[in-house]
Amino acid sequence: MSLADFSVDFTVVIPARLASTRLPNKPLADIGGKPMIVRVAERAHASAARRTVVATDADTVRAACAEHGIEAVMTRADHATGTDRLAEVATLLSLDDDAIVVNVQGDEPLIAPALIDAVARHLAAHPECAIATAAHPLHEIGEVFNPNVVKVVCDSAGRALYFSRAPIPWARDAWSGVPSAPAASAQVPLPDMPVLRHIGLYAYRAGFLRRFPTLAAAPLEQTEALEQLRAMWHGERIAVLVTEAAPAPGVDTPADLERVRALWSEAPAQPGR
């Protein structure tokens, strides 16, 4: 039986905060007549998840979810990270330590339900790991050198060795003399070994989520501004599902929002439309 053939019991949690420096009130932004957070939840409902829950600290987000029949729970407003918010939800929902929780970002209204399922199955298939995530090969050298594009390298078993904003692995021979930020017009070859872009979709075991807030922040996490490095710093393993295609774009800025609105209007019927 292949990995795609077995079912996994899991819960999707969608953290949603109103505070956003680049796009205020982002979860409530309209996409095709519904708030973005509702569109994300509809995509999660189309997955095989047993339950989909929005975790928010804003009454307006909770009310928007209630209006559209989406389950939401109120969480504290002082969480430092989205993972801390998930830890609170794991306790609020009384999830068993072995329960699988998939963290779907609240700004991914075009996320593929099949990818949500695949990451949950990937964690279930790797009992030695507390976390699973996804990645895809990069084909543009500009993305390899872009610090806003997070890269990951894996071991022979497909577990993460490191995440970085820097180009990793560094192609010593191909990139000898290449500056850390080459000009857009520079002719820089891609290395023979694929460079993997990290996709910000995670599956966790609930027991790990409850431990996460007790873990001290890691120097590498603070240097790279990547909170998954905290888990690795403290010895946790992360299984990485490598997909061929890049996921649909998310929403970080007003320009992203307009792009996603256009894609939504042009796409075939979406779940919940």
Side-chain angles (χ1 to χ4, degrees), residues 98 121-131 205 236-237 239:
D98 290 334
R121 288 195 299 265
H122 202 64
L123 181 57
H126 290 80
E128 78 283 9
C129 295
I131 308 169
R205 302 191 192 281
E236 299 290 353
R237 291 177 171 178

Side-chain angles (χ1 to χ4, degrees), residues 125-194:
H126 290 80
E128 78 283 9
C129 295
I131 308 169
T133 190
H136 71 87
L138 287 173
H139 303 290
E140 299 291 337
I141 198 66
E143 292 185 317
V144 174
F145 282 83
N146 183 347
N148 295 316
V149 175
V150 178
K151 277 72 67 174
V152 59
V153 291
C154 302
D155 65 15
S156 62
R159 297 174 304 220
L161 286 170
Y162 192 59
F163 295 83
S164 182
R165 298 180 182 279
I168 56 172
W170 181 264
R172 185 197 64 176
D173 295 333
W175 296 344
S176 177
V178 174
S180 59
S185 59
Q187 297 299 308
V188 181
L190 284 165
D192 292 334
M193 174 175 285

Side-chain angles (χ1 to χ4, degrees), residues 2-269:
S2 71
L3 185 60
D5 292 330
F6 74 90
S7 61
V8 175
D9 184 38
F10 66 97
T11 298
V12 168
V13 177
I14 308 170
R17 295 173 59 249
L18 280 183
S20 172
T21 56
R22 291 185 287 183
L23 187 59
N25 297 322
K26 181 164 64 170
L28 301 178
D30 181 87
I31 295 180
K34 293 182 182 179
M36 178 161 58
I37 190 62
V38 172
R39 292 302 189 189
V40 176
E42 289 174 344
R43 300 297 278 172
H45 275 305
S47 75
R50 176 178 57 84
R51 187 177 184 182
T52 297
V53 181
V54 171
T56 185
D57 57 9
D59 284 329
T60 50
V61 173
R62 180 197 55 77
C65 290
E67 181 181 351
H68 294 276
I70 304 298
E71 182 180 3
V73 296
M74 295 297 293
T75 57
R76 301 198 326 261
D78 60 347
H79 289 302
T81 70
T83 311
D84 290 305
R85 194 175 306 279
L86 261 68
E88 182 183 358
V89 174
T91 298
L92 289 174
L93 300 183
S94 300
L95 298 177
D96 293 338
D97 282 350
D98 290 334
I100 292 177
V101 178
V102 177
N103 177 12
V104 174
Q105 300 297 329
D107 55 8
E108 299 281 349
L110 300 178
I111 190 169
L115 182 59
I116 298 172
D117 294 340
V119 170
R121 288 195 299 265
H122 202 64
L123 181 57
H126 290 80
E128 78 283 9
C129 295
I131 308 169
T133 190
H136 71 87
L138 287 173
H139 303 290
E140 299 291 337
I141 198 66
E143 292 185 317
V144 174
F145 282 83
N146 183 347
N148 295 316
V149 175
V150 178
K151 277 72 67 174
V152 59
V153 291
C154 302
D155 65 15
S156 62
R159 297 174 304 220
L161 286 170
Y162 192 59
F163 295 83
S164 182
R165 298 180 182 279
I168 56 172
W170 181 264
R172 185 197 64 176
D173 295 333
W175 296 344
S176 177
V178 174
S180 59
S185 59
Q187 297 299 308
V188 181
L190 284 165
D192 292 334
M193 174 175 285
V195 178
L196 298 177
R197 172 193 171 231
H198 177 230
I199 299 170
L201 176 68
Y202 293 96
Y204 299 96
R205 302 191 192 281
F208 166 76
L209 282 175
R210 280 189 279 265
R211 286 200 311 276
F212 182 82
T214 71
L215 301 177
L220 288 174
E221 168 196 9
Q222 295 170 324
T223 298
E224 294 263 16
L226 298 173
E227 70 179 78
Q228 64 267 41
L229 292 175
R230 183 187 311 184
M232 297 183 67
W233 178 268
H234 290 281
E236 299 290 353
R237 291 177 171 178
I238 301 176
V240 180
L241 172 70
V242 178
T243 68
E244 287 304 313
V251 178
D252 287 322
T253 66
D256 293 338
L257 179 59
E258 292 309 312
R259 177 172 59 161
V260 166
R261 282 171 170 165
L263 289 171
W264 184 273
S265 65
E266 295 168 1

